[in-house]
Each structure stands twice: as structure tokens, then as C-alpha cells.
Amino acid sequence: MPPSSPVRAPSNVPASSPSGPSLAPSLNLAVIGNCQISALLDAAGSVVWCCMPRFDSTPVFDALVHAPDGRADDGVFSVEIEDFVRSEQAYDPGTAIVRTRLFDAQGQSVELVDFAPRFITRDRPYRPAQLVRRIRPLTGHPRVRIRVRPRGDWGRAPPITTSGSHHLRYLLPELTLRLTTNAPLTYVTDGSWFVLHKAVSLLLGPDETLDDGIEETARRFEEQTALYWRHWTHRLALPLEWQDAVIRAAITLKLCQFEETGAIVAAMTTSIPEAPNSGRNWDYRYCWIRDAFFVIRALNSLSEVGTMESYLNWLYNVIRSAPDGHVQPLYGIGRESLLPESMVDGVFGYRGMGPVRVGNQAYEHFQHDVYGSVVLGAAQAFHDQRLFRQADASDFQALESMGEQAWRLHEQPDAGIWELRTRARIHTSSALMCWAACDRLAHVATRLSLPERASLWRERARTIRIKILERSWNGERQAFVESFEGQDLDASVLLMGEVGFLNPQDARFISTVKALESTLCDGYFMRRYEGRDDFGLPETSFNVCTFWHIDALARTGRRAEAREYFEAMLARRNPLGLLSEDLAPATGELWGNFPQTYSMVGIIHSAVRLSAPWDSVV
């Protein structure tokens, strides 16, 4: 029986907004950044989210969670055209530079070019906490309005504003910003309409003077940033098919890396609900250990060694600093271990659907799958001769502490991969990843010519494997279930195929895939689990689960179906080619924090697996 959800064909047509900037908020957003900061722009080119001076800082623009009706007067950096009727928006190919065109009722138009500077100078990356906006008239004599309304303390602290000859300074509780521009400062301060006769530029960032003229600096920054990204894209190993989707996913994954430490955040936002009015609002501006295996595998498949090695270095820092071998589910981007969760008073939330949370209580959880994720990810460094520093026997000894934890905890209850807050079970996915830790340590020990250690880890992996096969298999459901001696189905058991626990042609794995399809799939899209959690039954599908399903389809020989499901997922990307964490199958609308690293990794992995080979056309 074919899936019930309709599919719209993927499109590379630029995003278009049929109405004005007061459009209700959605996740039809573009992301710009430079691996130090990032910003989200809506379809009309307004910056509605930006944290400075780093991803997890208090936002200076937060209209995304402050304007339930889409009419944001504060927490926004907007460029508007009078009598606005529509917009077009797209990335410059192969870059993180966004181009937005605004049209008025008379057919006049302006173009906005937005980016965060990033290029190499003096043999090191130049990536200031700065946004650059370039505005030029395209047709006619359009009137525009520029509004720069940063706020501190989550909207509760308007800035003290001072001005110079060509700049405005915004003094916020957390930092001071300088806007340097050749636009009329009075018009910017007052938010007045004026005729745009010539191009103007706005550079917002550290309270520092420019070395050169405003237009010259903005032009040079744009040219060098474009050149950087095109060179970066040029080096990627791409599949034959779906290259546009993979390039955009790869750039977005790179933008999610805080390059100073190598950490990669789960998403750029906090508190975008997983489903409407669900209360499932979490802060994702941190680095989750469970992502390690998937992120490293995606980067490796693209041959993006620099980003991968930087992330591996961050991961090894986590391993070597883990007290008594204990690893938290997540850390801050500076490897902060304390991330206390609180709710922000007086903030509406996305579309008015609060609460807005800062921090994440999950750092306190015990999630035993993290040890397998660490070992799976870190093992790359023992096998990859491209790395500047290959892992050695000392690194293996540190990694064995992760294996010891996995062995000790493999049949102990935990919060599980989905971070359940009010119950603990022996989760199949956690035991599975503990098996993976022992199994990969055996492989590494063999590579290092340590036969006794290899034998020890191989025997431990065998013991855990027997327990999983006996205790997670449910004969009544004809499927592996979410916990030992459990009843409920859970998409995370699909990882049995991804980590090599079972041959995908095993009848039990094939039966499990079919059981999950009949229970968890809404058309092409898969929910996480069928049981109730702390907030009730899940309403939306979880994008990474859909990608796991696509992988399972391919592994079990259903390749044509896998390609069909993958095309359906690509069709649900927003007009800029990005995905959040969740989507509503009935409408295709995106929900959850944005852009989601897990989801972008899913695009890369599925495209690489499903693409026709290059030798089919050469």
C-alpha cells in the first residue's frame, strides 16, 4: 500500500513571500554564520534571531520568540520596502550568503545581501561576531526603512544608544555592538522611510572601528567570504545525485560548528516546540554526545577532514576530562558541564507557544548510549591517515574508560536516547550502543596489535549481544522493542542496522522494520515511539527517524522505496533547503529547533547511500 501523505516535487525555485513582513512566523528561514555566530532571516529579509558573541549567548535579536503575530518592533534587524508585496530569497550557490529581493506595488525593488564574514587572512580564519548587510536599489526609486532594534536580557533591556559620525553604538547588559553604515544615521535611529538612491551597507558587530571605508570593507568582505565558501565546497566529495541538497546540508552542518573549540551544536535555536502547543520546548544550542557517530560519518563521507578533525579533538577533550569515566549526554560549546535549565519570564515563545527555556536539564541525565557514541565517533582517529594527529595507544587507553562504563552499565536503567524525564528503563538503544563501544574497541585493539585487549572487548561485545537478542525481542510484536522485556515499539532499534549489530537481511530485522512501519509511520514519515512520555503521545514525526527508516529500507533491499521516501523528505525542506527537528506529516510544516544538525546529517547520509555511482555516467 503506498504511503498516504502527498509528495510535492523538490524545487530549487527561490522562496517567495506573498504578503508583507507581518507574515506569521514560520521556519521558512535562512541561516547565515561564520562558525562563531549565526543569524536567522525570515522570507522578507529580517534578522529575527541572532545570539552574540557565540551560539549559546543571550540573543540580541529574538523576534522569533517574541512576536506571536509576526509584528516585531523590537528584537529585529529589518530592511523594508514601502508598499511591500512580495519577496524572493535564495543562497548564492555554494555559499552561506543569502540574497533577498523585495518588491513594492509599483514594481520597484531592492536587493539585500546578508552574510557573516569568514575567510582566511594571515594564515588563520577571520570570523568576527559580525553581520554584514548590503542594500542596493534594483528598479525605480524605492523607499526603504531600516530598523535596528537589538535587545538584551531576553527583550527586557533596551540598549543605551550613542552615535558617531558613521556609526551607532548599542550598549546592552551582555555586550556593546557597533553599527557602522553609510546609510543616514538619523533615518536608521528613527526608523524613517527614505528613497534609496544608491547602495548602502551596514556592518553590525564588535565595538571597533573599520580599517577601510564602509563600502570598500563590505564589498571586500563579501568577495572574500564568497571565495572562502566556494573553495570549501569545491573540496567536498559529493554523490552523483542530489548535489544541491548535499551542499546545502554540508554548509549548514559546518555553520553549526563553534570552530574555536570544535563543538557542533544540535541547532541554533531554543524553544521552538516539537509540535503546536506541546510544551516540548528545549534549548538545543549545545553539543550532544549522541550526535558524534552520525556527524563524523557524514563529514567523513564528504571528505571534510578539517571539520571532522576539529570535532574529534573536542570529543577527545570530553573523554580525557570525564570524571571517573562518566560522560554527560551533552555539554556546552566550551565544554561547560553545568547547563542548568530555567524558563524565561515575559517571553511569548514561538507563535506564542511558550515556555522559552535556557539551559537543558538533560545534562543531569544518565544516558548509557553516550559511551557507544563516543567510541564509534572517536574510533575514526585510529584508522584515518589523513588526520594531522592519528590516535595512539594513550588515546586507546582513554577510550577504554568509555568501554568500561559501557560494560558496567549495559543492562542498567537509564533515561534513554529520547531523554525521558520521569522514568528509567533498560533501553534497547542504550544496550545496543554499549555493545557498539565494546565491538569497536575490539577492532581498535586489533589495529594496535593488542590481542589480549581485543579478545576482552570481543567477548564483552558477544555477551551484550546475546542479552539484547534474548531480552529485546518481543515474539508477540515480532519486533525488537524499546526496552528489555518491553512491549512498545521505538524507531531507535533501527540503529541495529546502522552500527552493524545485525545483518540487515536477518529475518528479525526485516520483521522489525515492517512492524515499525505499520505502527510509527504517517505516510513517508516516522515518529519516535508509540508509548506515552512525559507530555503524552508524540504528534509530529521526527526527521532523523525518517532518515533511519530510509537507511533500513536501503539495507533490506527496498532501494526504490528508499529513494521515494528520501525524495519525500527533500520535498519537506523549507524553501532554502533546510530542515528542523520535526514535521507535521499532514501539512508538511516544520517544527522543532532549527536548523537541526541531525536532520542535515540525514540528508547527507541518505544521498550518499542512495545515489547512483559516478561510474554510471563516466
Side-chain angles (χ1 to χ4, degrees):
M1 181 178 295
S4 58
S5 297
V7 181
R8 55 181 175 84
S11 172
N12 291 321
V13 177
S16 180
S17 172
S19 57
S22 61
L23 204 66
S26 77
L27 295 183
N28 286 345
L29 303 170
V31 60
I32 59 173
N34 60 6
C35 303
Q36 175 70 34
I37 61 157
S38 64
L40 300 179
L41 285 72
D42 69 13
S46 292
V47 176
V48 295
W49 181 260
C50 179
C51 298
M52 287 188 177
R54 59 186 225 176
F55 300 147
D56 57 354
S57 301
T58 301
V60 295
F61 300 113
D62 61 358
L64 186 66
V65 296
H66 257 297
D69 60 356
R71 295 176 173 85
D73 293 321
D74 294 319
V76 68
F77 186 176
S78 64
V79 179
E80 303 167 47
I81 190 170
E82 194 173 34
D83 297 327
F84 172 80
V85 292
R86 67 184 182 91
S87 67
E88 296 174 354
Q89 190 176 64
Y91 283 105
D92 285 354
T95 76
I97 299 173
V98 174
R99 205 168 291 268
T100 308
R101 293 182 174 180
L102 307 177
F103 299 85
D104 67 16
Q106 292 75 45
Q108 302 178 120
S109 59
V110 300
E111 182 179 71
L112 318 178
V113 178
D114 288 289
F115 61 96
R118 177 177 174 81
F119 47 87
I120 304 299
T121 181
R122 299 176 183 175
D123 293 325
R124 60 180 182 267
Y126 180 72
R127 38 174 165 75
Q130 182 180 66
L131 304 178
V132 178
R133 313 202 70 181
R134 306 192 70 195
I135 315 165
R136 68 185 181 100
L138 291 180
T139 56
H141 303 282
R143 279 173 31 109
V144 299
R145 178 171 67 175
I146 300 171
R147 292 190 300 157
V148 186
R149 300 287 188 267
R151 287 293 182 270
D153 191 24
W154 290 92
R156 292 176 291 220
I160 298 171
T161 305
T162 64
S163 63
S165 56
H166 292 288
H167 73 266
L168 297 170
R169 295 172 73 242
Y170 302 95
L171 283 71
L172 298 165
E174 299 86 3
L175 79 168
T176 297
L177 295 173
R178 178 187 290 239
L179 176 72
T180 305
T181 182
N182 53 346
L185 291 185
T186 298
Y187 294 157
V188 174
T189 302
D190 296 344
S192 303
W193 295 100
F194 66 97
V195 177
L196 187 68
H197 290 298
K198 63 178 183 178
V200 299
S201 295
L202 305 100
L203 296 89
L204 179 71
D207 187 20
E208 302 168 356
T209 58
L210 300 181
D211 292 334
D212 296 308
I214 295 168
E215 276 301 305
E216 179 184 354
T217 300
R219 176 189 54 77
R220 177 168 57 86
F221 280 8
E222 181 185 348
E223 290 174 353
Q224 294 191 35
T225 298
L227 188 63
Y228 167 84
W229 283 113
R230 290 188 176 116
H231 277 298
W232 187 85
T233 304
H234 177 76
R235 297 194 302 267
L236 295 177
L238 296 175
L240 175 62
E241 298 180 88
W242 302 297
Q243 291 187 26
D244 286 343
V246 172
I247 289 171
R248 184 52 47 203
I251 291 173
T252 306
L253 178 56
K254 177 64 177 176
L255 291 178
C256 287
Q257 182 171 59
F258 184 66
E259 196 168 56
E260 182 181 325
T261 64
I264 295 178
V265 296
M268 296 297 189
T269 58
T270 178
S271 304
I272 309 300
E274 295 177 12
N277 296 302
S278 64
R280 302 171 187 265
N281 301 26
W282 317 113
D283 192 348
Y284 274 16
R285 299 172 298 160
Y286 310 113
C287 190
W288 263 257
I289 297 298
R290 72 176 180 217
D291 296 356
F293 166 55
F294 304 100
V295 168
I296 289 170
R297 185 175 58 173
L299 292 170
N300 188 43
S301 70
L302 297 170
S303 292
E304 180 28 40
V305 182
T307 303
M308 181 180 71
E309 185 161 20
S310 180
Y311 183 56
L312 280 168
N313 289 338
W314 182 88
L315 197 60
Y316 270 104
N317 272 313
V318 169
I319 295 168
R320 290 184 177 276
S321 62
D324 302 320
H326 170 67
V327 172
Q328 297 177 185
L330 68 152
Y331 292 85
I333 57 179
R335 222 164 14 90
E336 297 86 356
S337 58
L338 299 178
L339 303 170
E341 183 177 302
S342 61
M343 296 185 189
V344 184
D345 295 330
V347 182
F348 291 109
Y350 177 72
R351 298 195 191 178
M353 299 176 187
V356 170
R357 290 184 171 93
V358 176
N360 198 303
Q361 183 204 335
Y363 85 92
E364 300 175 340
H365 290 182
F366 290 89
Q367 292 175 216
H368 303 154
D369 62 308
V370 298
Y371 302 104
S373 297
V374 166
V375 174
L376 283 168
Q380 176 85 18
F382 292 91
H383 301 279
D384 196 333
Q385 296 187 33
R386 298 169 299 177
L387 302 179
F388 283 124
R389 193 190 78 82
Q390 279 194 275
D392 56 22
S394 173
D395 296 307
F396 177 66
Q397 186 176 6
L399 204 58
E400 280 194 300
S401 68
M402 302 292 98
E404 293 293 347
Q405 287 288 85
W407 171 247
R408 183 172 68 85
L409 299 170
H410 71 270
E411 55 181 342
Q412 298 298 316
D414 72 345
I417 189 173
W418 307 125
E419 299 173 351
L420 301 175
R421 296 188 168 208
T422 59
R423 70 166 186 250
R425 294 176 180 172
I426 306 173
H427 289 94
T428 299
S429 59
S430 295
L432 172 67
M433 296 304 277
C434 289
W435 168 85
C438 298
D439 178 75
R440 296 317 193 266
L441 283 169
H443 287 290
V444 173
T446 299
R447 180 170 180 80
L448 296 176
S449 300
L450 300 170
E452 292 184 3
R453 304 309 294 170
S455 177
L456 171 71
W457 290 114
R458 193 177 298 115
E459 179 59 26
R460 287 179 171 181
R462 189 186 71 83
T463 300
I464 298 174
R465 186 175 189 273
I466 291 171
K467 291 178 182 178
I468 294 172
L469 293 176
E470 290 178 350
R471 302 183 64 184
S472 290
W473 176 257
N474 185 298
E476 182 181 346
R477 304 296 299 266
Q478 283 296 291
F480 290 103
V481 291
E482 56 93 29
S483 60
F484 283 11
E485 287 83 43
Q487 291 289 326
D488 293 337
L489 298 181
D490 188 306
S492 63
V493 301
L494 291 173
L495 295 176
M496 289 180 170
E498 291 223 30
V499 302
F501 178 82
L502 273 185
N503 185 322
Q505 301 306 316
D506 189 298
R508 292 165 295 184
F509 186 72
I510 293 173
S511 176
T512 298
V513 173
K514 292 180 179 178
L516 293 171
E517 289 170 344
S518 65
T519 304
L520 297 183
C521 278
D522 297 312
Y524 292 105
F525 312 108
M526 182 169 280
R527 285 171 279 116
R528 285 176 286 182
Y529 40 79
E530 65 175 335
R532 299 180 68 86
D533 60 18
D534 311 327
F535 294 83
L537 291 172
E539 302 171 47
T540 51
S541 62
F542 202 71
N543 291 332
V544 75
C545 294
T546 300
F547 286 118
W548 291 345
H549 181 216
I550 291 168
D551 180 81
L553 289 173
R555 289 178 185 274
T556 55
R558 298 162 63 184
R559 188 177 179 85
E561 287 178 81
R563 289 174 62 91
E564 181 182 353
Y565 278 62
F566 182 48
E567 291 282 5
M569 273 303 298
L570 292 181
R572 294 310 192 274
R573 293 173 299 158
N574 80 3
L576 281 302
L578 308 181
L579 282 171
S580 61
E581 181 185 47
D582 310 85
L583 66 81
T587 64
E589 186 172 12
L590 298 178
W591 290 90
N593 282 306
F594 178 92
Q596 179 77 6
T597 295
Y598 239 161
S599 299
M600 306 315 289
V601 165
I603 291 174
I604 295 168
H605 178 52
S606 293
V608 169
R609 171 168 290 282
L610 297 173
S611 173
W614 277 99
D615 60 13
S616 65
V617 294
V618 296

